[in-house]
Amino acid sequence: MQIGSGGLYISNNKGATYITLASNRTQFADADLWYRTGNNTDGYLIYNKEAGPNKVLAAPTTMKGTQGGDSYPIMVDKDHVPEGYTSTWLFAKSNDLGGRAIQQPQKGQVYIKGGKKHVE
């Protein structure tokens, strides 16, 4: 899954404390391969091939730091999303990212940029 004008890949960081955007290149490793289930009305769950079918992409619902810059996405058990996190996402256009972004439906313009969450 790529976002932003630089086409940066969102990759599973295995046991790391958060997901980063590290590269605009891929070897098509399992860490770089994502799929989603759901719809753009109710939202999507986003899965990573390397993490497996029981983990989903989630992020805090409360923004920390400047414009949410200290709120990082993580992979969590799909049936045990931690309190204060959401695993439901929408895909939307973003002028700031030069293309498309993923956002939390209940928060409006909350999106992942540079591996961190931001608020427009």
Side-chain angles (χ1 to χ4, degrees):
M1 182 166 52
Q2 290 178 283
I3 66 169
S5 59
L8 295 171
Y9 279 87
I10 300 172
S11 299
N12 181 40
N13 284 5
K14 298 182 183 168
T17 56
Y18 59 88
I19 303 266
T20 60
L21 298 174
S23 177
N24 61 359
R25 295 179 185 241
T26 181
Q27 297 297 319
F28 298 103
D30 289 350
D32 295 339
L33 302 178
W34 299 84
Y35 68 96
R36 64 183 185 231
T37 61
N39 60 62
N40 215 39
T41 301
D42 300 320
Y44 295 94
L45 294 178
I46 301 174
Y47 300 84
N48 178 268
K49 185 175 181 183
E50 180 180 71
N54 296 318
K55 298 272 188 181
V56 293
L57 184 67
T61 56
T62 301
M63 301 298 97
K64 300 175 186 172
T66 304
Q67 293 185 311
D70 292 328
S71 298
Y72 296 95
I74 59 173
M75 297 301 293
V76 301
D77 289 333
K78 73 176 183 178
D79 295 327
H80 296 71
V81 177
E83 186 172 332
Y85 279 74
T86 184
S87 60
T88 306
W89 298 93
L90 296 177
F91 289 78
K93 288 184 179 182
S94 172
N95 293 333
D96 188 55
L97 292 174
R100 300 196 54 82
I102 55 176
Q103 70 183 35
Q104 296 173 340
Q106 69 277 23
K107 290 292 188 177
Q109 292 299 316
V110 177
Y111 58 89
I112 295 178
K113 173 185 175 187
K116 300 178 181 180
K117 285 182 56 185
H118 294 265
V119 180
E120 281 185 351

